[in-house]
Amino acid sequence: MGTRNFKIMVSPLNWGLGHATRLVPIIRYYRKAGHEILIAGEGQSLAFLREEFPGLQWVELPSFSPRLSRRSSQLLKLAKQLPNFFYKIWSEHRLTSEIVKKYGIDVIISDNRYGVRNRRCHSVLITHQLSPFVGKKSRDFRRTIVSFLLNLMIKPFDACWIPDTIQGHSLAGELAIPTIKLRNTVRVGLLSRFTHDEAPFSPGGGPLAVISGPEPQRTIFEERVIRFFEMRNEEATIIRGLPLHPHKIERRGRIILLSHCTTQEFALLVKSADYIVCRSGYTTIMDLMVIGRRALLVPTPGQTEQEYLAQRMQMFDFETISQEHLLFLDHNTSFRRIKSIYEPMKEFEGVELLQQ
């Protein structure tokens, strides 16, 4: 990177917390290298990063925040939001231009925000969704069309960072294979706020559930998991993933509910948990692979990417079950296979930033 220090703007999509949490290792790395960081975002994602890095400058930059359906199919619900999606891309592109001028930004690192780029600086997009699933089939004309449109939106960026393993089995699989040739794509390793030595493995804790994702499915999943633990009569901890809520501990019978917790507290809970229940979001999977734990994965209903990832993670001995069938699982089922610690995967080790 030479001797020059850059002013870097990082901006996560506000869709659950995953897009924000996987920016943590990037912010840590470039701060340590002497670069100045500006956080641009909104809602839960911005709240999380402000708490994680209280000394950093920040600015509001509204993003597209989709609303999921309560049903098992999300396609129609999301399709109806497409006009707002494209309007938000135009709007965030305009606002980004103002921020770049005001703060003298040299580099933009945007996580899944296609409008957060500017010709005045080096613009990087982070995404593993180069060819997302739209239907159940991998060969689907709708998938081809969506992939083609996404690739066209990626092309204006100077670089596309794919958060995926550099060696060995790809976690993203078909999701990270573009339908058209893209320049300047690079796999940067797994992006996780954890490191494999974040906390010692100390077995003996109860089950842990991690709730995440957009509403209303976030709340539906939380209620389903509470009922799941009640039916098993287990002492369990649930991290609700709500950094905007007051940090408090609630007790519901034998279940402890945490609105949010720090990265260090989170790592300790993950390392000590008897077993883990969570969504099969890509960032959640990266966190588990870096810290060295398996889990019971419960895909968001109708979210085909999560359904694909849950199935793919079976090759790493994860278990998966649909949200619909979670409460019908035998109460005496043992999760011995996913209790064990295994060899963690390598995390983000930095990428050279280049000027235009």
Side-chain angles (χ1 to χ4, degrees):
M1 280 186 284
T3 58
R4 183 187 167 190
N5 289 337
F6 297 118
K7 182 71 175 283
I8 304 172
M9 183 177 90
V10 297
S11 184
L13 181 69
N14 187 37
W15 185 337
L17 285 180
H19 296 283
T21 64
R22 69 190 193 182
L23 285 175
V24 169
I26 291 174
I27 295 173
R28 286 176 182 163
Y29 180 85
Y30 293 115
R31 281 187 79 193
K32 188 176 180 180
H35 303 292
E36 189 178 349
I37 307 293
L38 172 72
I39 301 169
E42 67 164 349
Q44 303 277 6
S45 293
L46 178 60
F48 169 80
L49 288 176
R50 286 184 62 191
E51 181 175 322
E52 194 78 11
F53 302 101
L56 293 186
Q57 272 188 305
W58 60 274
V59 62
E60 288 270 359
L61 181 56
S63 65
F64 174 65
S65 299
R67 184 85 178 172
L68 295 186
S69 170
R70 297 184 65 88
R71 303 175 184 233
S72 60
S73 176
Q74 305 295 341
L75 188 58
L76 181 59
K77 181 77 171 182
L78 292 174
K80 289 179 178 178
Q81 299 173 68
L82 279 178
N84 187 41
F85 170 69
F86 288 112
Y87 169 76
K88 286 291 187 181
I89 288 178
W90 173 83
S91 178
E92 67 186 11
H93 185 55
R94 179 178 56 81
L95 292 172
T96 297
S97 180
E98 296 174 5
I99 294 170
V100 167
K101 292 177 185 177
K102 180 177 180 180
Y103 292 94
I105 302 299
D106 301 301
V107 178
I108 293 173
I109 300 178
S110 165
D111 194 311
N112 272 78
R113 299 189 66 173
Y114 298 97
V116 181
R117 55 180 173 80
N118 191 268
R119 288 180 295 177
R120 292 172 177 264
C121 54
H122 189 74
S123 299
V124 177
L125 178 74
I126 297 174
T127 185
H128 64 281
Q129 297 172 324
L130 302 181
S131 185
F133 280 76
V134 179
K136 298 287 185 182
K137 299 177 181 179
S138 61
R139 297 181 182 273
D140 188 309
F141 77 96
R142 292 172 299 178
R143 184 185 182 203
T144 302
I145 292 171
V146 170
S147 301
F148 183 77
L149 290 174
L150 282 178
N151 293 165
L152 288 179
M153 290 191 289
I154 292 170
K155 274 199 165 186
F157 286 85
D158 298 292
C160 177
W161 292 358
I162 303 171
D164 201 355
T165 48
I166 298 171
Q167 296 178 336
H169 289 292
S170 164
L171 292 191
E174 292 184 44
L175 296 171
I177 301 174
T179 56
I180 61 176
K181 189 174 182 180
L182 292 171
R183 62 183 179 88
N184 294 336
T185 59
V186 57
R187 293 194 179 195
V188 297
L190 302 186
L191 295 178
S192 172
R193 58 174 158 158
F194 302 122
T195 61
H196 69 271
D197 56 354
E198 190 88 44
F201 178 45
S202 52
L208 172 70
V210 182
I211 310 299
S212 59
E215 297 291 359
Q217 286 294 337
R218 193 214 66 83
T219 297
I220 293 171
F221 183 45
E222 179 181 303
E223 293 169 349
R224 192 67 58 94
V225 167
I226 289 172
R227 183 64 183 138
F228 169 76
F229 286 138
E230 287 176 340
M231 292 171 67
R232 290 176 65 90
N233 193 29
E234 290 184 311
E235 291 188 359
T237 301
I238 298 176
I239 302 174
R240 304 179 66 202
L242 298 172
L244 280 176
H245 286 216
H247 285 215
K248 60 181 180 179
I249 301 174
E250 300 178 41
R251 180 172 282 277
R252 184 163 168 176
R254 304 184 70 191
I255 301 169
I256 296 173
L257 293 98
L258 307 175
S259 59
H260 185 57
C261 59
T262 66
T263 294
Q264 291 73 26
E265 292 167 341
F266 201 128
L268 186 60
L269 286 169
V270 169
K271 281 289 186 80
S272 63
D274 185 37
Y275 65 91
I276 301 164
V277 182
C278 60
R279 288 297 196 200
S280 52
Y282 191 64
T283 302
T284 299
I285 287 172
M286 287 196 293
D287 286 341
L288 292 169
M289 297 304 282
V290 166
I291 211 167
R293 289 302 306 263
R294 299 182 180 90
L296 174 63
L297 300 176
V298 186
T300 301
Q303 200 163 324
T304 49
E305 177 196 331
Q306 289 198 12
E307 292 167 351
Y308 168 75
L309 287 170
Q311 182 180 28
R312 182 168 179 78
M313 292 310 293
Q314 292 178 17
M315 68 188 291
F316 295 97
D317 284 336
F318 281 64
E319 293 191 6
T320 182
I321 190 170
S322 70
Q323 183 169 286
E324 180 184 0
H325 291 100
L326 183 62
L327 298 185
F328 296 98
L329 194 65
D330 187 341
H331 302 167
N332 298 314
T333 299
S334 169
F335 296 108
R336 183 173 300 171
R337 186 173 70 171
I338 61 174
K339 289 182 182 182
S340 62
I341 289 288
Y342 65 100
E343 186 65 28
M345 286 190 171
K346 186 177 291 188
E347 62 267 23
F348 179 73
E349 294 183 338
V351 177
E352 185 174 2
L353 296 176
L354 301 175
Q355 281 187 285
Q356 284 184 294

